[in-house]
Amino acid sequence: MSKTKTTSPEIDLKDPQYYINREISWLEFNRRVLHEALDPRTPLLERLKFSAIFSSNLDEFFMVRVAGLKQQVEAGVTKLTPDGLTPSEQLEAISDRLRPLVRQQDQHFEHELREQLNAEGIHIINYVDLNQEQRTYLQQYFEEYIFPVLTPLAIDPSHPFPYISNLSLNLAVIVRDPDTDEELFARVKVPNVLPRFISLPKELRQQSANKQSIWSGVPLEQAIAHNLEALFPGTIVQECHPFRVTRNADLSVEEDEADDLMLAIEQELRKRRVGKSAVRLEIQTSMPENLRNRLMHDLRLEEIDVYDVEGLLGLKDLMFFVSMPCPELKDPPWSPVVPAWLSRTQDISSRDRGDDTQEGEDIFTLIRNSDRLLHHPYQSFSATVEEFITQAAYDPKVLAIKMTLYRTSGDSPIVNALIAAAENGKQVAVLVELKARFDEENNITWARKLEQAGVHVVYGLVGLKTHTKIVLVVRQESNKIRRYVHIGTGNYNSKTAKLYTDLGLLSCREELGADLTDLFNFLTGYSRQKSYRKLLVAPVNMRDRMVAMIRREAEHCRKGKSGRIVAKMNALVDAQIIETLYEASQAGVQIDLIIRGICCLRPGIEGVSENIRVISIIGRFLEHSRIFYFQNGGEEEVYIGSADWMTRNLSRRVEAVTPIDDPEIAKELEEILGIMLSDNRQAWELQPDGSYIQRHPTDSEREQSSHKILMEMAMRSAGI
């Protein structure tokens, strides 16, 4: 039964106690990622992968989020977040919350994962544990392959402290001059052009008692550290300690002052390669205090910025081992299936190149027959989205193709198809978002290639990041023009489409085609479209429509009906949306939120959010799709699209969310939501205090992994 309460005048829904800090919530998300590395139910190499992802996530967190907070402190910003913290208080909270996690990861890798890898024939050996034969080989390897690349840098009054590049691994070396007995300080950068882990030849591999040796080797920095005499001849190497530096790497481009946005971003990318101010120093606990203090001083860091561990630094490099040929140590392989409705599709791209052997309907006929829902990686991205764009590129009836590219892969079949379309004389317009964080360089490369092929390339709008995932194909059919659309939740990237869960809609509904036409005119020209027929578009009407639909559910409850909202997304941060959800909960609306990452809403608070439940699913695939369900008094509405409920998505990005008008597709999406809400293997429940508790099946329940169930569902849909 719904718990209906009238909003009490004593309850201020803007009170900071009802909001979780954004940064702390993100750390809780990364804690859940780390848990997958700790969980013995996770296959060994997958555990190693999650440990690497935990570290990689932290790198980006410091480069962007921590760097931003430090800039606010330096600028004297004292503005409070909705949860009531200043920037300096947030930095302290991050440090307190993060240090135990870093220590836990370090200890788990050094004392559990390494031992388990050894038992499976994968030996990450410390240099000091090598036998003489192995040392001799590595010394020769060092002289031939490593020594020529190294550049020792002296640090003294005539050699100032060098600029330490972002995310670089380094050795701080103390040598003594035997003539003067003077101690000298030097820095050696561990070159990132060489593999982080050096493999030993098969005949020198460490032997396992019960398992054939698969790989043996040492970390690169240890091979350098134990051969430093070659770099400092005539001196005595006294000690050597690894350290790693993270810098502010966020781009700051004044778009309205940039005559050429691409050139401005390229200039900022050159700055990022070395980074701006340092924000974190990682060291081993064995580093002496005087050396630690010297690095802090030279990098202009404080104690709060230093993180020390006992073992290896930069564990994101553990991803190297995930590709080892050990299928028994990984998740069972999954090959995305081709939907049954596509099984007899005529490959137009092959036909128009002279291959007349295939039979079947083209993809446009199939879309005309019915709207089509795509679910990746359960269903094949290449056989659906890429095929849709490729057929459009070669179909003589297609007049124009328009699409947005936020992130795409380096060898993108989609980009190649767009180039082919332009060469085939079609009108091709592509919005390439140059401001896609950490993909800017890749996007610049593809933008230039597209322009050279004659594609009309635009770079987005001043002050707005274009995050929407849309394709519009204009086709001449008989005596009319028909528009086909793809509206998705994920990037047009064939590689991440195998790792991220995303949804897409293929349709030729006239109103959606007209809306996308208007939206592309907004993106490429001077249109200032204020209304859309079907689409929810940010920053135009999405926020108002979402708030209105939440309030509509509350109004149904106030009239004695039931109210229900289920929303799946990556993050919930926007204070207005949270406050509106609280109001709906107070009215008795039953609300289930499936939020992978950041959630600033506190569920389960009596009188405020007791009708709200929040789960997060962390597992094999990265939950990236966005689904919004509103009961609407029995006239149910379901939406999918590119936007989370974050202020940046609703106010500072171009986003598109589409209603699902096909009742069968709406039913399928509701089934997907139900499967995820029933997950008791990879789901975590958010508590009112901001912590998460992992679900486990009871003695009477069977384990229900949403990923496994959705795989089975996809196979059934493909007739397998």
Side-chain angles (χ1 to χ4, degrees), residues 50 74 85 114 190 227 262 290-291 303 308 366 387 431 458 508 622 652 662:
F50 280 108
E74 291 167 6
L85 295 182
R114 281 181 87 152
V190 178
N227 290 278
M262 185 182 288
N290 63 329
L291 190 52
E303 190 64 39
D308 52 351
L366 296 171
E387 182 63 21
L431 187 142
V458 293
C508 63
L622 184 74
R652 299 194 300 274
D662 187 303

Side-chain angles (χ1 to χ4, degrees), residues 155-166:
I155 302 172
D156 55 36
S158 62
H159 300 88
F161 190 79
Y163 195 93
I164 310 294
S165 56
N166 185 34

Side-chain angles (χ1 to χ4, degrees), residues 341-342 362-374 384-385 388-389 392 398 400 402 469-475 477 480-488 492 503-517 520 534-535 640 657-663 665-666 669:
W341 60 269
L342 263 176
D362 62 55
I363 199 167
F364 303 106
T365 302
L366 296 171
I367 297 170
R368 283 199 306 276
N369 292 342
S370 174
D371 286 356
R372 306 293 180 176
L373 180 70
L374 310 176
T384 55
V385 177
F388 171 61
I389 296 169
V398 169
K402 301 180 182 184
K469 328 295 184 183
I470 51 176
V471 179
L472 174 66
V473 173
V474 181
R475 195 168 186 257
E477 296 178 0
K480 66 175 294 185
I481 296 290
R482 195 186 300 271
R483 290 173 285 202
Y484 294 82
V485 306
H486 175 268
I487 302 170
Y492 294 109
L503 294 160
L505 177 72
L506 289 170
S507 176
C508 63
R509 292 180 184 267
E510 290 188 10
E511 289 178 308
L512 289 180
D515 274 352
L516 281 199
T517 299
F520 274 109
K534 287 285 189 178
L535 290 182
I640 65 169
V657 167
T658 181
I660 301 299
D661 291 325
D662 187 303
I665 293 178
L669 288 168

Side-chain angles (χ1 to χ4, degrees), residues 6-23:
T6 303
T7 304
S8 169
E10 290 81 24
I11 295 179
D12 178 6
L13 295 180
K14 290 183 172 60
D15 192 315
Q17 67 174 312
Y18 300 134
Y19 295 82
I20 300 169
N21 179 262
R22 182 195 195 284
E23 318 305 343

Side-chain angles (χ1 to χ4, degrees), residues 63-88:
M63 287 190 289
V64 178
R65 301 302 306 180
V66 172
L69 288 171
K70 289 175 74 70
Q71 285 180 318
Q72 291 179 42
V73 171
E74 291 167 6
V77 175
T78 57
K79 182 180 178 181
L80 301 180
T81 50
D83 54 284
L85 295 182
T86 64
S88 59

Side-chain angles (χ1 to χ4, degrees), residues 203-223:
E203 63 273 15
L204 294 180
R205 288 179 187 168
Q206 207 85 346
Q207 295 304 309
S208 299
N210 303 316
K211 188 87 174 181
Q212 181 180 358
S213 179
I214 298 168
W215 185 92
S216 295
V218 300
L220 174 61
E221 67 272 20
Q222 292 187 15

Side-chain angles (χ1 to χ4, degrees), residues 147-201:
F147 177 76
V149 183
L150 300 177
T151 305
L153 295 176
I155 302 172
D156 55 36
S158 62
H159 300 88
F161 190 79
Y163 195 93
I164 310 294
S165 56
N166 185 34
L167 299 181
S168 62
L169 185 59
N170 306 268
L171 298 175
V173 184
I174 303 295
V175 300
R176 182 166 57 84
D177 186 330
D179 297 329
T180 64
D181 211 35
E182 180 184 7
E183 285 192 348
L184 305 170
F185 180 36
R187 171 253 188 167
V188 177
K189 180 179 180 179
V190 178
N192 55 16
V193 295
L194 299 176
R196 172 70 190 280
F197 297 97
I198 305 172
S199 303
L200 289 167

